[in-house]
Amino acid sequence: MDLATYESQLCRDLTLPAEALTRMAQSFKEAMSAGLAGRTSSLKMLPSFLALPTGAEKGRVIAVDFGGTNVRVLEAELTGRGEVKIEQMRRFPLVDPAAGYDYMSGSADASHLFGFIAARVGEIARPGVDYPLGHTFSFPCEQTGVNKARLIVWTKEFKTRGVEGQDIGALFDAALARAGVGHVKGRAIINDTVGTLLAAAYLKRDVDIASICGTGHNTCYLEPSFPATGKPMIVNMESGNFDQVPQTRFDIALDRASERPGAQKLEKMVSGYYLGEIVRHILADMATQGVLPKSAKLGQVLALKGMDLDHILSAKGELHRVSEVAQRCLGLEDLSKVQLQAIQNMVQLVARRSARLVAATFFGTLLHTDAGLAREHTVAIDGSLYEKLPGYAGWLQEALDELAPKGRVTTMLSKDGSGIGAAIAAGMTGTA
Ligand code: GLC
């Protein structure tokens, strides 16, 4: 096969026209209804036991933001006028080979992990001050109350023992007490999407959906009437697990080779952790088809990171920068200009498809909450793809404008919303 034929086939496979997005949005809406009604659905529809904040939240709080290898702890003041003033913030890794610890691995257990975080809280909490604590814990949790969250299953390669199936609030409170930080009391456990929504609600009135488009992907929204309570409630959809997605043979191969085949199908097509892998699977296929040279590195898992895709897309016409990534990460030498251009085009197709799939899920959410689009809606987003990947935010808006009347649904960056949102959540649940 020649390169031009390969490229046009690939373009057909990876381009999603508006009709395909509309169909997907419709099935997303149906999966939401099924999940809310307790029927089988790939959307877990997990209640947060929080609605939107009023802005009147007040007092000094501690927030913990835990959703990956780096944890942030902050002390903040809620002014009661819809503002959060960050007084102190520390960031620390859960894995540090030089210091000899790894709290993500199976060699650590719940008391090591939460004991370590509790000790960091102890370093910023002032003695003699009673603080409520808001805890962003960005993993799928079954909640039975705002501070009662049971971890269903670890995601993002965490393997720490004795946490799955456990109540995270109870584990953390016990760790705080053991660390002598009993004056800090856990009040709220939230997902990072929920934190992003709470933080953005302080900035803009019509925000009712929030999403993470970064290493992982997930979306929450304000459900106007949650079935069990009949009241408004923010619901964490764990939408990365949505499974009615138009997979190509590359997505199927990636899923089969992943840690948990069949799980997180949407996340595997859209999130930063996997986009490099999709690109690598396509490049390996191009080499097999003889339109690119062969290289052993094409078989190496995670050879391409999100950052490398950034370099390829930001290179624009400077193809030597694409060549630099192809050589360094994939061992592909002496590529022609046409081949380099084909690689850049393909990365763009994969990234644009991600943005369009995500847009379809936002539109599906709105089909559920406001099918006639009677109101304007803003989707708050945090994460490296949305914030940094060249073109991404624009493709997302372009797709939303194909699905809804132009400008009716817009997006905004909610930077570090998960930490700020945890502080707001602590304030929403009263004082210590
Ligand atoms: C994963 C988690 C989800 C989180 C998302 C973004 O999909 O399961 O809870 O919101 O990553 O961090």
Side-chain angles (χ1 to χ4, degrees):
M1 190 187 293
D2 62 50
L3 181 56
T5 315
Y6 189 96
E7 274 201 278
S8 61
Q9 259 183 27
L10 192 68
C11 185
R12 262 200 309 280
D13 291 347
L14 294 176
T15 304
L16 293 166
E19 304 77 69
L21 299 187
T22 309
R23 273 198 306 279
M24 182 170 146
Q26 188 61 38
S27 52
F28 191 85
K29 176 204 166 213
E30 282 156 20
M32 287 175 74
S33 306
L36 282 174
R39 297 197 302 274
T40 310
S41 170
S42 60
L43 294 179
K44 293 193 180 76
M45 307 303 282
L46 305 167
S48 65
F49 293 87
L50 290 171
L52 294 182
T54 60
E57 296 76 18
K58 207 167 164 30
R60 200 158 273 246
V61 302
I62 299 279
V64 170
D65 180 11
F66 172 12
T69 33
N70 285 299
V71 175
R72 286 186 309 159
V73 174
L74 42 111
E75 185 200 23
E77 177 81 29
L78 305 174
T79 63
R81 293 182 306 276
E83 296 153 342
V84 181
K85 288 198 176 132
I86 297 176
E87 307 281 344
Q88 305 181 62
M89 168 148 79
R90 307 257 173 91
R91 191 189 170 91
F92 49 90
L94 291 176
V95 182
D96 186 346
Y101 66 79
D102 180 350
Y103 296 109
M104 278 176 75
S105 77
S107 64
D109 68 16
S111 67
H112 299 130
L113 171 66
F114 289 108
F116 179 72
I117 302 175
R120 304 286 83 74
V121 169
E123 286 165 11
I124 73 161
R126 295 165 212 263
V129 181
D130 285 338
Y131 294 93
L133 174 131
H135 184 180
T136 296
F137 184 72
S138 314
F139 303 91
C141 284
E142 190 126 45
Q143 295 211 208
T144 48
V146 67
N147 198 34
K148 281 211 144 318
R150 192 180 60 80
L151 174 63
I152 301 170
V153 62
W154 275 130
T155 50
K156 310 181 212 187
E157 311 300 314
F158 273 74
K159 298 189 184 68
T160 321
R161 284 176 291 115
V163 190
E164 282 179 339
Q166 299 300 308
D167 179 343
I168 301 305
L171 288 177
F172 199 44
D173 270 351
L176 287 166
R178 276 200 313 276
V181 200
H183 57 298
V184 179
K185 292 257 173 8
R187 288 284 183 252
I189 299 179
I190 60 173
N191 187 257
D192 51 357
T193 54
V194 177
T196 302
L197 183 49
L198 297 178
Y202 261 30
L203 303 175
K204 203 160 181 270
R205 286 191 54 176
D206 58 5
V207 186
D208 51 10
I209 299 179
S211 186
I212 303 292
C213 297
T215 312
H217 172 66
N218 184 18
T219 299
C220 75
Y221 76 106
L222 181 68
E223 166 58 46
S225 172
F226 190 72
T229 58
K231 297 211 173 94
M233 165 105 75
I234 301 174
V235 172
N236 165 19
M237 296 195 271
E238 285 295 321
S239 61
N241 194 49
F242 182 61
D243 64 1
Q244 284 145 278
V245 283
Q247 283 179 310
T248 62
R249 59 200 165 95
F250 306 112
D251 303 301
I252 294 169
L254 181 151
D255 179 44
R256 284 207 183 118
S258 70
E259 285 269 335
R260 293 169 54 224
Q264 301 293 102
K265 279 193 186 158
L266 176 66
E267 188 168 63
K268 285 172 186 161
M269 293 171 79
V270 304
S271 84
Y273 185 85
Y274 296 103
L275 286 191
E277 278 296 276
I278 302 175
V279 167
R280 186 181 65 80
H281 276 270
I282 299 174
L283 290 168
D285 185 60
M286 291 169 85
T288 309
Q289 303 288 333
V291 297
L292 280 183
K294 291 205 160 61
S295 159
K297 279 197 179 170
L298 287 172
Q300 201 174 301
V301 175
L302 294 178
L304 274 176
K305 305 274 186 324
M307 193 63 111
D308 304 313
L309 303 190
D310 255 55
H311 287 318
I312 292 176
L313 290 180
S314 62
K316 306 245 168 59
E318 295 174 43
L319 291 176
H320 64 273
R321 291 171 58 196
V322 179
S323 166
E324 186 275 318
V325 178
Q327 280 186 38
R328 178 169 49 82
C329 304
L330 304 162
L332 292 172
E333 311 266 344
D334 300 325
L335 298 179
S336 69
K337 274 202 165 140
V338 178
Q339 287 172 321
L340 292 169
Q341 187 63 62
I343 293 178
Q344 191 182 49
N345 293 347
M346 180 267 281
V347 172
Q348 177 157 331
L349 283 173
V350 171
R352 182 157 183 257
R353 183 184 69 151
S354 158
R356 291 178 73 78
L357 288 165
V358 167
T361 69
F362 295 163
F363 189 63
T365 308
L366 293 173
L367 288 177
H368 171 78
T369 56
D370 179 17
L373 289 177
R375 288 170 281 120
E376 288 188 355
H377 298 270
T378 301
V379 184
I381 309 179
D382 199 2
S384 51
L385 290 185
Y386 180 76
E387 191 190 352
K388 300 199 179 117
L389 196 70
Y392 199 88
W395 294 321
L396 199 50
Q397 189 62 52
E398 177 187 72
L400 288 169
D401 289 341
E402 288 171 31
L403 294 165
K406 200 169 164 49
R408 206 75 184 142
V409 187
T410 48
T411 65
M412 70 179 265
L413 179 67
S414 176
K415 183 115 187 75
D416 296 332
S418 52
I420 296 166
I424 297 173
M428 287 169 80
T429 57
T431 47

